[in-house]
Amino acid sequence: MKRLAHSLDELDRRAFLRRSAAGLLGVGLAPDGLLPHPSRVGTARRVIYLYMSGGMSHLDTFDPKPGSEVMGPTEAIPTRADDVSIGAHFRNLAPLMDRVAVVSSMSSNQGAHVQGRYFMHTSYTMRGTIRHPTLGAWLSQLAGADNPTLPPHVAVGGDVYGASGGFLESRHYPLPIGNPSDGLRNAHLPATVSEERFHQRMDRLAAMNAAFEERYGGQKLVRSYAEAYDQAVELMRSDDLTAFDLEAEPEPIRAAYGQGRFGQGVLLARRLCERGVRFVEVTDGGWDTHVENFDAMDEKLPSLDQTLATLLLDLEARGMLEDTLVVLATEFGRTPEIVSGRNGRNHHPKAFSCLLAGGGIRGGQRYGQTDERGEEVVDRKVTVPDFNATIAHALGLDVEKVHQSPTGRPFQVADKGRPIAELFA
Amino acid sequence: MTSLRLVVPLALALVSAGNGQDVRQAARRVDQLVEAGLRDAGQRPEPEVDASTLVRRTFLVVAGRAPTLEELDRWTRRGADHGELVDELLASPGRVSHAFNEWADVLRVQSRFGRRVSGEPYMHFLKDALAQNRPYDQWVRELLTAEGAAHAQGQGATGYWLRDFEMPLDAMSNTMRVFLGTRMECAQCHDHPFEDWTQRQFFELAAFNGGMRYSSIDLRNPQRSMDRQRANVVRAFAQENGANGRTVVRRLLQDQGVGLAGDGNGAIRLPKDYAYDDARPNALVRAHVPFGPDVSLPEPPEPPQAASGPAARVRARRAQPIEPPPLGSREAFAAWLTSPDNPRFTTVIVNRVFKSTFGLALIEPVDDLRDDTVAVYPELQEHLEQLMRELGYDLVAFQRILLNTRLFRRGAAVFDEAGEEPFRFSGPALRRMSGEQVWDSLLGLALGDPDRTLKAPGATAAPIYAEHARIAGLDAEGLEKLLDEEMLRYTDRPAYIRVVAARRAAARERATSAGPSTAADLRAKIQELTVALRKARRSRDQDAVARIVREIADARRDAATQTFVRNPQFVRASELSQPAPAGHFVREWGQSDREQISSSSLDANVPQALQLINGVVDARLLAEGSALRRALDACEDSPARVTTAFRAVLGRDPSSTERRTWVRLLEDEGGSGVVDLVWTLVNSHEFRFVQ
């Protein structure tokens, strides 16, 4: 059975390669209608959450205002979705926008980075007295692990501030991966230790621990350590451990995702989701463009374009787009005013854009609207809790349900946020 | 406000000096009360543990790490006295390191609080207070009443309120929880659903900090805190350089002024959405305490008479809303909170020290007291509170008594969290080492004495003080130059980057000019010896040649050790950045991220197991230059090696079966057998649990 699955995998991979190469070279568009989009609500089992840390400019990316002086040198291009035009840097993404919903009426009341990130991740504003769980931690707690040998919640990339399990138990906290190319640390035996020697070690350890467990096994924590060791050994032996190993990925695919830390992190996210990890967050920094905003866009957008387009095609080719929700989020947008002298844009929480794709989301639409300068939301405002409630709903989580913190305080997965029905197919 | 502290009775004052007789007597009383309680519950106390278990436990509980081989030898020798060990450890820098880790968890200590505020001066204050063992009520009072610039030397106590920068309401909830075990955070936004606290009561408490500002410079009138020349420079600069110039000035003042001002006006406004009948929304309420001895503040003077006339009208338009005048209400609050007559202040600290010593408190959790809360042994609780008051909140003297009880010498008892019965202390509770204790104990295996890595309190804060003093000491000309440099941020970015790099280089220069390293000394010594060796060879002095060859070998080995030991990553947890970076060993073993009060964790997880299975032992613990490796290499035969490994890692001798098994394995397998032995010991339950 395993072998069969593997060979199917290989077929998909080849099919994907053919198509992605074509897409990336601009010689053709992905064929239409190969994979029917389902029309059910809440088909997501897992999330790839791409976080643009620092505040991604909405005007230069997914909410351009062609012809307005707020655009500076940024231009817009049409996409496969009729009423969605996007920044001209997204050449690879444009033909795929029929899979993507742009939420361009996002609005937050948190204008500082740390507070904004916290709000975006937890749906609650930052308090000194409690830490709220992020969506990933909630999902881990409420849906449990899909693959018992892998951790359900992983965070890739340096800055994981705010990506914490809050008041939930520590096993729901994300497993942090700093550099995606390093994979999971300490997961392999040292070179000097053979499998046989490791067996001997474990046998002697069991003998050593037996007396202790006999005497103190009544204490839960002693038993938890026995379990943690079993799980660790299981993980070390798990075939799924290769999920953390990017070397196992064919070179063309590694290249297609982009060789930078972010691109490789997203590839890692796909590998993990493929093997049943529930929630993978990948953080990309450098979006706080107070100075020389347009230089930064020239540098960052082509690689975001490449990575995102590759991810969507890859998920689709593997038949994963239906039950994998792809989210692109950030803490706020940036001002329409271009600060003279430094060509920068400042923080702008009042209006910004996020993306949703896959997992039962109806692509090819722009939800909500900002005014002609991209300054204020004028149609169907989406609050941060609403956005997170939509993600939770896609995952089949009950956003109305009240959960108690260990100190007995009541919380909801996305605070009082309400899912947006029109975003679903 | 006068202190309400009781005069310390003379007889008990001796206890704080560590007088053996009185300590033993006080300890005996604790044991009597515990043992009576056990008898009533039909439980039997655990038997006393052997000398080596007791020594390891005492080191972990007091100094926060396992004993080194030398320390274990010394304190398990015939005639070694537990009381003396306790005294020595309580006086050691290890005790300060461990106590700091515990308080850092409670107080959410971080090396930085946001972009502007450094946590280093605050850490300096705490380590200093612990090192000098200043009375607890006294240093808490200083935390609550501190004023001044946070980055100026000697003002570290300002870090307490600055930790919740510009969040005075959250800071008040946290204060009530940390020091009085009272949970009022619900009442911040509405009346508490199950307890008596009302939102109004919460605001009356917060009113004690009314008028406190989070800057030592009045940012609305910054010129007031400068002499005229410098004020002129600042004014002219801001005028000449437009919006960016004003930003430069504001940033400089904000950075320099980080701190606290205002001794409290005893008043605060209710929230605009206040929904209860007893007051209007946005009404001004006066400070009032919710329980304990009443605090009376002086009546605020009458607000100034409204003058009439055109000039007065202009003034009225310009003026900020009238703020109540200062009343010293922060001082009054601190005195109330730390008073021995406050019904919860002593209860909480007694339980914190008790828990630190015996693994659990008489009241769990220690920071959620209710009106109907009852300690496991109420009489003991009362006795300990009385003792704490009589000792004048000398935490070391108090813990010395607990450490000298029979209870502390008893075998660890299983604590069943899910059980119906409360834990009754038939012995100390079996507990896992904290993340810091695991790290510091492994460090001991690698370095020998890990306390060598402890710096004097404040060593890492010194550059912050120096920078603050440098800017404060600038004359008008120097200030102008600094502002011009800062302006480059907007006018010439490459030049600004060069300026910043030059400043960093200068700071590094200052930091490293503290004398040559020991490793460099050793290299110089090896060179000298090599010259001497050549000379000895020429003169055919065989004895000298043999001696110098030995000395060179020693120096080489010491140099290798030095390189290993001086690795800046290999320092005790209290010397790492606070908290340690995400993914660090200490964090994986449960060090708090310092975002929530007391959120360190003792839970088991997979990365911990992977660390010990694949990460630490083979690569680090037995690397060239490690103390454990040297101790094992120095052993003459396998039995000695087995004993050394057991004593180093677990703090005890192997049983005869264990010795037999491992000696046979070592003889079969040689070098790799020793590594396997150390691996097994470090991975065992026995290593990570404090028995």
Side-chain angles (χ1 to χ4, degrees), chain A residues 203-267:
Chain A
D203 287 347
R204 288 171 200 157
L205 179 61
M208 175 101 210
N209 279 342
F212 194 94
E213 283 169 16
E214 166 98 25
R215 178 156 182 205
Y216 295 113
Q219 194 139 329
K220 182 168 161 249
L221 191 54
V222 176
R223 299 194 301 275
S224 308
Y225 268 99
E227 282 162 27
Y229 268 73
D230 289 347
Q231 284 170 20
V233 172
E234 208 174 321
L235 183 58
M236 286 166 62
R237 292 190 176 141
S238 167
D239 292 337
D240 295 324
L241 192 60
T242 53
F244 288 96
D245 183 8
L246 294 183
E247 294 296 327
E249 196 73 22
E251 189 50 43
I253 293 195
R254 288 195 73 167
Y257 270 87
Q259 294 292 8
R261 222 173 236 225
F262 178 66
Q264 296 297 296
V266 174
L267 174 57

Coordinates of all heavy atoms in Angstrom, one line a residue, chain A residues 203-267:
Chain A
D203 N 18.0 -0.2 25.9 CA 17.7 -1.4 26.8 C 18.3 -1.1 28.2 O 17.6 -1.3 29.2 CB 18.4 -2.6 26.2 CG 17.6 -3.2 25.0 OD1 16.5 -2.7 24.8 OD2 18.1 -4.0 24.3
R204 N 19.5 -0.6 28.2 CA 20.1 -0.3 29.5 C 19.4 0.8 30.2 O 19.2 0.8 31.5 CB 21.6 0.1 29.4 CG 22.4 -1.1 29.0 CD 23.8 -0.7 28.6 NE 24.4 -1.8 27.8 CZ 25.4 -1.6 27.0 NH1 25.9 -0.3 26.8 NH2 26.0 -2.6 26.3
L205 N 18.9 1.8 29.4 CA 18.2 2.9 30.0 C 16.9 2.4 30.7 O 16.5 2.7 31.8 CB 17.9 4.0 29.0 CG 17.1 5.2 29.5 CD1 17.8 5.9 30.5 CD2 16.7 6.1 28.3
A206 N 16.2 1.5 30.0 CA 15.0 0.9 30.5 C 15.2 0.2 31.8 O 14.5 0.3 32.8 CB 14.4 -0.1 29.5
A207 N 16.4 -0.6 31.8 CA 16.7 -1.3 33.1 C 17.0 -0.3 34.2 O 16.5 -0.4 35.3 CB 17.9 -2.1 32.8
M208 N 17.7 0.8 33.9 CA 18.0 1.8 34.9 C 16.8 2.5 35.4 O 16.6 2.8 36.6 CB 18.9 2.8 34.1 CG 19.3 4.0 34.9 SD 21.0 3.9 35.5 CE 20.8 4.9 37.0
N209 N 15.8 2.8 34.5 CA 14.6 3.5 34.9 C 13.6 2.6 35.6 O 12.7 3.1 36.3 CB 13.9 4.1 33.6 CG 14.6 5.4 33.2 OD1 15.3 6.0 34.0 ND2 14.4 5.8 32.0
A210 N 13.7 1.3 35.5 CA 12.7 0.4 36.0 C 12.5 0.6 37.5 O 11.3 0.8 37.9 CB 13.0 -1.0 35.7
A211 N 13.6 0.7 38.2 CA 13.4 0.9 39.7 C 12.8 2.2 40.0 O 11.9 2.3 40.9 CB 14.8 0.8 40.3
F212 N 13.2 3.2 39.3 CA 12.6 4.5 39.6 C 11.1 4.6 39.3 O 10.3 5.1 40.1 CB 13.3 5.6 38.7 CG 13.1 7.0 39.1 CD1 14.0 7.7 39.9 CD2 12.0 7.7 38.6 CE1 13.8 9.0 40.3 CE2 11.8 9.0 39.0 CZ 12.6 9.6 39.9
E213 N 10.7 3.9 38.2 CA 9.3 3.9 37.8 C 8.5 3.1 38.8 O 7.4 3.4 39.1 CB 9.1 3.4 36.4 CG 9.5 4.5 35.3 CD 9.6 3.9 33.9 OE1 9.1 2.8 33.6 OE2 10.2 4.7 33.1
E214 N 9.1 2.0 39.3 CA 8.5 1.2 40.3 C 8.1 2.0 41.5 O 7.1 2.0 42.1 CB 9.5 0.1 40.7 CG 9.1 -0.7 41.9 CD 8.4 -2.0 41.5 OE1 8.6 -2.5 40.4 OE2 7.6 -2.5 42.4
R215 N 9.1 2.9 41.9 CA 8.9 3.6 43.1 C 8.0 4.9 42.9 O 7.2 5.3 43.7 CB 10.2 4.0 43.7 CG 10.1 4.9 44.9 CD 11.3 4.8 45.8 NE 11.0 5.6 47.0 CZ 11.9 6.2 47.8 NH1 13.2 6.0 47.5 NH2 11.6 6.9 48.8
Y216 N 8.3 5.6 41.8 CA 7.7 6.9 41.6 C 6.7 7.0 40.4 O 6.2 8.1 40.1 CB 8.7 8.0 41.4 CG 9.6 8.2 42.6 CD1 11.0 7.8 42.5 CD2 9.1 8.8 43.8 CE1 11.8 8.0 43.6 CE2 10.0 8.9 44.8 CZ 11.3 8.6 44.8 OH 12.1 8.8 45.8
G217 N 6.3 5.8 39.9 CA 5.4 5.8 38.7 C 4.1 6.4 39.0 O 3.3 6.7 38.1
G218 N 3.7 6.5 40.3 CA 2.5 7.2 40.6 C 2.4 8.6 40.3 O 1.3 9.2 40.2
Q219 N 3.6 9.2 40.0 CA 3.6 10.6 39.6 C 3.4 10.7 38.1 O 4.2 10.1 37.4 CB 4.9 11.3 40.1 CG 4.8 12.8 40.0 CD 5.4 13.4 41.3 OE1 5.4 12.9 42.4 NE2 6.0 14.6 41.1
K220 N 2.4 11.5 37.7 CA 2.1 11.6 36.3 C 3.3 12.0 35.4 O 3.5 11.5 34.3 CB 1.0 12.6 36.1 CG 0.5 12.7 34.6 CD -0.8 13.5 34.5 CE -1.0 13.9 33.1 NZ -0.9 15.4 33.0
L221 N 4.1 12.9 35.9 CA 5.2 13.5 35.1 C 6.3 12.4 34.8 O 6.9 12.4 33.8 CB 5.9 14.6 35.9 CG 6.9 15.4 35.1 CD1 6.3 15.9 33.8 CD2 7.4 16.6 35.9
V222 N 6.4 11.4 35.7 CA 7.4 10.3 35.5 C 6.9 9.5 34.3 O 7.6 9.2 33.4 CB 7.6 9.5 36.7 CG1 8.5 8.3 36.4 CG2 8.1 10.3 37.9
R223 N 5.6 9.3 34.3 CA 5.0 8.5 33.2 C 5.1 9.3 31.9 O 5.4 8.8 30.8 CB 3.5 8.2 33.5 CG 3.4 7.3 34.7 CD 2.0 6.7 34.8 NE 0.9 7.6 34.8 CZ 0.4 8.2 35.9 NH1 1.0 7.9 37.1 NH2 -0.6 9.1 35.9
S224 N 4.9 10.7 32.0 CA 5.0 11.5 30.8 C 6.4 11.4 30.1 O 6.5 11.5 28.9 CB 4.7 13.0 31.1 OG 3.6 13.1 31.8
Y225 N 7.4 11.3 31.0 CA 8.7 11.2 30.4 C 8.9 9.9 29.7 O 9.5 9.8 28.6 CB 9.8 11.4 31.4 CG 10.2 12.9 31.4 CD1 9.7 13.8 32.4 CD2 11.0 13.4 30.4 CE1 9.9 15.1 32.3 CE2 11.2 14.8 30.4 CZ 10.7 15.6 31.3 OH 11.0 17.0 31.2
A226 N 8.4 8.8 30.3 CA 8.4 7.6 29.5 C 7.8 7.7 28.2 O 8.3 7.3 27.2 CB 7.8 6.5 30.4
E227 N 6.6 8.4 28.2 CA 5.9 8.6 26.9 C 6.7 9.5 25.9 O 6.8 9.2 24.7 CB 4.5 9.3 27.1 CG 3.5 8.3 27.6 CD 2.3 9.1 28.3 OE1 2.1 10.3 27.9 OE2 1.7 8.6 29.2
A228 N 7.3 10.5 26.4 CA 8.0 11.5 25.6 C 9.2 10.7 24.9 O 9.5 10.9 23.7 CB 8.5 12.7 26.4
Y229 N 9.8 9.8 25.7 CA 10.9 9.1 25.1 C 10.4 8.1 24.0 O 11.0 8.0 23.0 CB 11.7 8.3 26.2 CG 12.9 9.1 26.7 CD1 12.7 10.2 27.5 CD2 14.2 8.8 26.3 CE1 13.7 11.0 28.0 CE2 15.3 9.6 26.8 CZ 15.0 10.7 27.6 OH 16.1 11.5 28.0
D230 N 9.3 7.5 24.3 CA 8.7 6.6 23.3 C 8.4 7.3 22.0 O 8.7 6.9 20.9 CB 7.4 5.9 23.8 CG 7.7 4.9 24.9 OD1 8.9 4.5 25.0 OD2 6.8 4.5 25.6
Q231 N 7.8 8.5 22.2 CA 7.4 9.3 21.0 C 8.7 9.8 20.3 O 8.7 9.8 19.0 CB 6.7 10.6 21.4 CG 5.2 10.3 21.8 CD 4.5 11.5 22.4 OE1 5.0 12.6 22.3 NE2 3.5 11.3 23.1
A232 N 9.7 10.2 21.0 CA 10.9 10.6 20.4 C 11.6 9.5 19.5 O 12.0 9.8 18.4 CB 11.9 11.1 21.4
V233 N 11.6 8.3 20.1 CA 12.2 7.2 19.4 C 11.3 6.9 18.2 O 11.8 6.6 17.1 CB 12.4 6.0 20.3 CG1 12.8 4.8 19.5 CG2 13.4 6.3 21.4
E234 N 10.0 7.0 18.3 CA 9.1 6.7 17.2 C 9.4 7.7 16.1 O 9.4 7.4 14.9 CB 7.7 6.8 17.7 CG 6.7 6.0 17.0 CD 5.3 6.1 17.7 OE1 5.2 6.1 18.9 OE2 4.3 6.2 16.9
L235 N 9.5 9.0 16.5 CA 9.8 10.0 15.5 C 11.1 9.8 14.8 O 11.2 9.9 13.6 CB 9.8 11.4 16.3 CG 10.0 12.6 15.4 CD1 8.9 12.7 14.3 CD2 10.0 13.9 16.3
M236 N 12.1 9.4 15.6 CA 13.4 9.1 15.0 C 13.4 8.0 13.9 O 14.1 8.0 13.0 CB 14.5 8.7 16.0 CG 15.0 9.9 16.9 SD 15.8 9.3 18.4 CE 17.2 8.4 17.6
R237 N 12.5 7.0 14.2 CA 12.4 5.9 13.3 C 11.3 6.1 12.3 O 11.2 5.4 11.3 CB 12.0 4.7 14.1 CG 13.1 4.2 15.0 CD 12.8 2.9 15.6 NE 14.0 2.5 16.4 CZ 13.9 1.9 17.6 NH1 12.8 1.6 18.1 NH2 15.0 1.6 18.2
S238 N 10.5 7.2 12.4 CA 9.4 7.4 11.6 C 9.9 7.7 10.1 O 10.8 8.5 9.9 CB 8.6 8.6 12.1 OG 7.7 9.0 11.1
D239 N 9.2 7.1 9.2 CA 9.5 7.4 7.8 C 9.1 8.9 7.5 O 9.7 9.5 6.6 CB 8.6 6.5 6.8 CG 9.0 5.1 6.9 OD1 10.2 4.8 7.3 OD2 8.2 4.2 6.6
D240 N 8.2 9.4 8.3 CA 7.8 10.8 8.1 C 8.9 11.8 8.5 O 8.7 13.0 8.3 CB 6.5 11.0 8.9 CG 5.4 10.2 8.4 OD1 5.3 10.0 7.1 OD2 4.5 9.7 9.2
L241 N 9.9 11.3 9.2 CA 11.0 12.3 9.6 C 11.6 12.9 8.4 O 12.0 14.1 8.4 CB 12.0 11.5 10.4 CG 13.1 12.4 11.1 CD1 12.4 13.3 12.1 CD2 14.1 11.5 11.8
T242 N 11.5 12.2 7.2 CA 12.1 12.8 6.0 C 11.3 14.1 5.7 O 11.8 14.9 4.9 CB 12.0 11.9 4.8 OG1 10.6 11.4 4.7 CG2 12.9 10.7 5.0
A243 N 10.1 14.2 6.2 CA 9.3 15.5 6.0 C 10.2 16.7 6.3 O 10.1 17.7 5.7 CB 8.1 15.5 6.8
F244 N 11.1 16.6 7.3 CA 11.9 17.7 7.7 C 13.1 17.9 6.9 O 13.9 18.8 7.0 CB 12.3 17.6 9.2 CG 11.2 17.7 10.2 CD1 10.5 16.7 10.7 CD2 10.8 19.0 10.6 CE1 9.5 16.8 11.6 CE2 9.8 19.2 11.5 CZ 9.1 18.1 12.0
D245 N 13.3 16.9 6.0 CA 14.6 16.9 5.3 C 14.4 17.4 3.8 O 13.9 16.7 3.0 CB 15.1 15.5 5.3 CG 16.5 15.4 4.6 OD1 17.1 16.5 4.3 OD2 17.0 14.3 4.4
L246 N 14.8 18.7 3.6 CA 14.6 19.2 2.2 C 15.5 18.6 1.2 O 15.2 18.7 0.0 CB 14.8 20.7 2.3 CG 13.8 21.5 3.1 CD1 14.0 23.0 3.0 CD2 12.4 21.2 2.6
E247 N 16.6 18.0 1.7 CA 17.5 17.3 0.7 C 16.7 16.2 -0.1 O 17.1 15.8 -1.2 CB 18.6 16.6 1.5 CG 19.6 17.6 2.1 CD 20.3 18.5 1.1 OE1 20.6 18.0 0.0 OE2 20.5 19.7 1.4
A248 N 15.6 15.7 0.6 CA 14.9 14.6 -0.1 C 14.0 15.1 -1.2 O 13.4 14.3 -1.9 CB 14.0 13.9 1.0
E249 N 14.0 16.4 -1.4 CA 13.1 17.0 -2.4 C 13.9 17.1 -3.7 O 15.1 17.5 -3.7 CB 12.6 18.3 -1.9 CG 11.5 18.9 -2.7 CD 10.1 18.2 -2.3 OE1 10.0 17.6 -1.3 OE2 9.2 18.3 -3.2
P250 N 13.3 16.8 -4.9 CA 14.1 17.0 -6.1 C 14.5 18.4 -6.3 O 13.8 19.3 -6.0 CB 13.1 16.6 -7.2 CG 12.0 15.8 -6.5 CD 12.0 16.3 -5.1
E251 N 15.7 18.5 -6.8 CA 16.3 19.9 -7.0 C 15.4 20.9 -7.7 O 15.3 22.0 -7.3 CB 17.7 19.7 -7.6 CG 18.5 21.0 -7.6 CD 18.6 21.7 -6.3 OE1 18.8 21.0 -5.2 OE2 18.5 22.9 -6.2
P252 N 14.8 20.4 -8.9 CA 14.0 21.4 -9.6 C 12.8 22.0 -8.7 O 12.5 23.1 -8.8 CB 13.4 20.6 -10.7 CG 14.3 19.4 -10.9 CD 14.9 19.1 -9.5
I253 N 12.3 21.1 -7.8 CA 11.2 21.6 -7.0 C 11.8 22.6 -5.9 O 11.2 23.7 -5.7 CB 10.5 20.5 -6.3 CG1 9.8 19.7 -7.4 CG2 9.5 21.0 -5.3 CD1 8.7 18.7 -7.0
R254 N 12.9 22.2 -5.3 CA 13.6 23.2 -4.4 C 13.8 24.5 -5.1 O 13.5 25.6 -4.5 CB 14.9 22.6 -3.9 CG 14.8 21.5 -3.0 CD 16.1 21.2 -2.2 NE 16.3 22.2 -1.2 CZ 17.2 22.0 -0.2 NH1 18.0 21.0 -0.2 NH2 17.4 23.0 0.6
A255 N 14.2 24.5 -6.3 CA 14.5 25.7 -7.0 C 13.2 26.5 -7.3 O 13.1 27.7 -7.2 CB 15.3 25.4 -8.3
A256 N 12.2 25.7 -7.7 CA 10.9 26.3 -8.0 C 10.3 27.1 -6.9 O 9.7 28.2 -7.0 CB 9.9 25.3 -8.5
Y257 N 10.5 26.6 -5.6 CA 10.0 27.3 -4.5 C 10.8 28.6 -4.1 O 10.4 29.4 -3.4 CB 10.0 26.4 -3.3 CG 8.7 25.6 -3.1 CD1 8.5 24.4 -3.7 CD2 7.6 26.1 -2.4 CE1 7.3 23.7 -3.6 CE2 6.4 25.4 -2.2 CZ 6.3 24.2 -2.8 OH 5.1 23.5 -2.7
G258 N 12.0 28.7 -4.7 CA 12.9 29.8 -4.4 C 13.9 29.4 -3.4 O 13.6 28.7 -2.4
Q259 N 15.2 29.8 -3.6 CA 16.2 29.3 -2.7 C 16.4 30.0 -1.4 O 17.1 29.6 -0.6 CB 17.6 29.3 -3.5 CG 17.6 28.3 -4.7 CD 17.6 26.9 -4.3 OE1 17.4 26.5 -3.2 NE2 17.8 26.0 -5.3
G260 N 15.7 31.1 -1.3 CA 15.8 31.8 0.0 C 15.2 31.1 1.2 O 14.5 30.0 1.0
R261 N 15.3 31.6 2.4 CA 14.8 31.0 3.6 C 13.3 30.8 3.5 O 12.7 29.8 3.9 CB 15.2 31.8 4.8 CG 15.7 31.0 5.9 CD 16.2 31.9 7.0 NE 17.6 31.5 7.3 CZ 18.0 31.3 8.6 NH1 17.3 31.6 9.6 NH2 19.2 30.9 8.8
F262 N 12.7 31.9 3.0 CA 11.2 31.8 2.9 C 10.7 30.8 2.0 O 9.9 29.9 2.3 CB 10.6 33.2 2.6 CG 9.1 33.2 2.4 CD1 8.3 33.0 3.6 CD2 8.5 33.4 1.2 CE1 7.0 33.1 3.5 CE2 7.1 33.5 1.1 CZ 6.4 33.3 2.2
G263 N 11.2 30.8 0.8 CA 10.8 29.8 -0.2 C 11.1 28.4 0.3 O 10.2 27.5 0.2
Q264 N 12.2 28.1 0.9 CA 12.5 26.8 1.4 C 11.6 26.5 2.6 O 11.2 25.3 2.8 CB 14.0 26.7 1.8 CG 14.9 26.8 0.6 CD 14.8 25.7 -0.4 OE1 15.0 24.6 -0.2 NE2 14.3 26.1 -1.6
G265 N 11.3 27.5 3.4 CA 10.4 27.3 4.5 C 9.0 26.9 4.0 O 8.3 26.0 4.7
V266 N 8.5 27.5 3.0 CA 7.2 27.1 2.4 C 7.2 25.7 1.9 O 6.3 24.9 2.0 CB 6.8 28.1 1.3 CG1 5.5 27.7 0.7 CG2 6.6 29.5 2.0
L267 N 8.3 25.3 1.2 CA 8.5 24.0 0.8 C 8.4 23.0 2.0 O 7.8 21.9 1.9 CB 9.8 23.8 0.0 CG 10.2 22.4 -0.4 CD1 9.1 21.7 -1.3 CD2 11.5 22.4 -1.2

